[in-house]
Amino acid sequence: MAGQNRFFRGGLHERSVIKADGRPAGTCVFISHKWEDKEVARLVAMELQALGLDYWLDVDDDDSMAAAREGNEAAMCNAVERGLQNSTCLLALISRRTRGSWWVPFEIGAARAYSRTLVFLVHKDVSDRPAWMTLGTVISDRLDLDSWANAIGAPTRLVEVRKAAISRDIDSVLPRVRILR
């Protein structure tokens, strides 16, 4: 079964239930990115969806988009916190542009406050890493992505996904194998 955006166009799907202990029901990945990387974030979201993982992406959330249009930072913070409350982990897209982001570090800090797992997907054009990436799992290539997806229980078999055209789009973001120094 394909994953879904739990917050697509503002409507919470039935799988976005928060359990009595305050944790979200089922795996959901909050995708953190700098606005200029929104198309790359969409590619990552499509890959997660193909793997059968639910996700939250601000560009598909009506509350986030309304807050951005209005320049309402408080409403944006509320939308981010709602997304994190319904997510089990935060996947931060680390690109060359991330260095100039105010929101990515805020979202990482908020995810830590909610005790969410941190995952850092390092774009293939990035060679250096911020020190705070030691706080989570680093995905630097396709092998890392596959391993992480398996570890969090991606329901779709990776072989099936890798045959799909959508999966080849992620090659523009992650190399198949990379060694970071």
Side-chain angles (χ1 to χ4, degrees):
M1 176 161 102
Q4 65 182 354
N5 184 346
R6 289 190 182 182
F7 304 91
F8 185 67
R9 300 291 174 223
L12 292 175
H13 291 285
E14 65 277 0
R15 285 197 274 176
S16 63
V17 176
I18 295 178
K19 298 184 292 187
D21 66 0
R23 304 287 297 180
T27 301
C28 182
V29 180
F30 180 106
I31 301 172
S32 175
H33 64 96
K34 187 154 182 359
W35 180 255
E36 291 83 356
D37 288 326
K38 67 181 175 279
E39 294 309 317
V40 174
R42 283 188 176 160
L43 287 175
V44 171
M46 290 186 319
E47 183 75 5
L48 296 176
Q49 185 174 16
L51 289 168
L53 296 170
D54 290 352
Y55 63 91
W56 181 89
L57 183 59
D58 61 351
V59 296
D60 292 330
D61 179 59
D62 285 340
D63 292 341
S64 295
M65 297 314 299
R69 277 190 309 275
E70 297 163 6
N72 187 338
E73 287 83 13
M76 181 61 80
C77 288
N78 290 337
V80 165
E81 289 171 353
R82 180 177 52 86
L84 286 167
Q85 288 169 346
N86 283 282
S87 299
T88 52
C89 65
L90 175 137
L91 184 149
L93 175 59
I94 307 300
S95 73
R96 290 180 179 173
R97 296 178 183 117
T98 306
R99 187 170 294 197
S101 174
W102 290 88
W103 283 102
V104 171
F106 170 79
E107 292 165 351
I108 291 168
R112 291 191 71 212
Y114 285 114
S115 301
R116 300 307 187 244
T117 303
L118 299 177
V119 181
F120 304 102
L121 190 146
V122 183
H123 192 281
K124 69 180 183 178
D125 294 338
V126 172
S127 58
D128 59 336
R129 304 187 227 179
W132 41 258
M133 283 180 53
T134 59
L135 300 173
T137 300
V138 175
I139 296 174
S140 61
D141 58 33
R142 294 284 295 269
L143 293 174
D144 291 344
L145 179 63
D146 292 350
S147 176
W148 171 74
N150 279 331
I152 65 169
T156 302
R157 290 185 36 210
L158 291 173
V159 173
E160 294 169 8
V161 173
R162 293 295 171 237
K163 289 180 184 176
I166 188 101
S167 186
R168 287 190 288 278
D169 290 341
I170 201 72
D171 288 338
S172 67
V173 179
L174 286 173
R176 293 194 185 278
V177 178
R178 169 172 52 177
I179 298 172
L180 290 177
R181 296 185 181 125

